[in-house]
Amino acid sequence: GRHGLWQRPLERRRLAQAPLLVPQDPGALHEAGDPRTPSVVVRIPVEPSGPPEPKDLAAVTYATNPYKKGLDRILVAWRDVDAELVVAGVDGRDTDGVRYAGRLEPAAFRALLRRAKVYVTAPRREDYGLAQLEALADGCRVVTTGAPGPYAALPLLRELGHVTDDAGLAGAVRAALADADPGYAARALDALAPFRREAVDRIVAGDLLPALLRGA
């Protein structure tokens, strides 16, 4: 947008001047124009937030930026879903099937995820998808639409079969709510392996620290 007219050229100069880039995902490098500066990708580590809890909530979404997170798209789809949706990150007026939890501390949000069967999102742009990864770590089925942006979580969500389009959002949510596979949480954790702390620590120790020392 217009705000980037001065910002983007400055960013490109800073990227060219840096001795090392440490993006959170290769997609961020691509959006930055694939700079030639050496880089080491260090993902945000994601782990379960606590022991599993009974899944007594149907679905949760996070909408601290309602337009970017596509809350309007979700609410339209929710007219065809016979379940309650908890909307975190923003205040609103409760309606039939939709309850607003407001702004929450991270621990309180993760507590909601441990209780939720489905996490749903329909972003207009996604830079990383941390909430989606946290939902997987806490045993939620994740339903998302595709979106522009680096969206680091998207390839993993495609692998798990959780990606749909706007027209299929309600049906995908209903299917996720009906899924009673007891092995899902374990499979989701296995798929999360590249994002877990052990894998990130290996990258830091084996790639990032040597790169930093070479430049010291």
Side-chain angles (χ1 to χ4, degrees):
R2 66 184 186 277
H3 302 297
L5 292 177
W6 66 268
Q7 185 177 352
R8 300 299 172 246
L10 178 62
E11 286 176 350
R12 286 193 289 270
R13 290 198 296 273
R14 294 292 181 264
L15 292 174
Q17 293 166 354
L20 179 70
L21 302 179
V22 189
Q24 296 171 344
D25 183 75
L29 288 175
H30 180 67
E31 286 217 329
D34 295 315
R36 297 180 179 179
T37 306
S39 64
V40 177
V41 174
V42 180
R43 294 184 169 100
I44 301 172
V46 177
E47 292 290 329
S49 62
E53 296 186 17
K55 295 292 187 180
D56 59 349
L57 298 178
V60 170
T61 190
Y62 180 72
T64 189
N65 183 331
Y67 181 79
K68 182 180 177 184
K69 298 299 183 183
L71 179 59
D72 56 326
R73 298 172 170 179
I74 295 170
L75 295 180
V76 167
W78 214 256
R79 298 169 186 167
D80 295 322
V81 178
D82 185 19
E84 184 177 75
L85 171 69
V86 178
V87 181
V90 65
D91 294 321
R93 180 177 295 178
D94 294 351
T95 60
D96 288 343
V98 179
R99 176 165 61 87
Y100 288 83
R103 298 184 181 275
L104 300 173
E105 294 296 324
F109 176 65
R110 295 299 299 271
L112 277 182
L113 293 180
R114 290 197 302 274
R115 296 172 54 199
K117 186 164 188 178
V118 173
Y119 178 85
V120 59
T121 184
R124 287 183 167 85
R125 173 185 169 84
E126 189 61 86
D127 296 312
Y128 196 81
L130 181 59
Q132 290 87 309
L133 297 172
E134 291 176 337
L136 288 178
D138 283 330
C140 294
R141 278 81 171 161
V142 175
V143 175
T144 183
T145 55
Y151 205 166
L154 189 59
L156 173 57
L157 296 173
R158 288 193 190 281
E159 177 186 329
L160 289 169
H162 292 327
V163 182
T164 185
D165 56 20
D166 288 354
L169 190 59
V173 170
R174 289 195 300 267
L177 287 170
D179 185 355
D181 180 1
Y184 172 82
R187 289 202 312 276
L189 273 182
D190 287 343
L192 270 173
F195 292 88
R196 299 194 64 177
R197 186 170 300 280
E198 182 179 357
V200 175
D201 286 349
R202 284 198 301 267
I203 295 295
V204 170
D207 298 328
L208 179 59
L209 290 180
L212 291 173
L213 290 173
R214 286 195 298 269

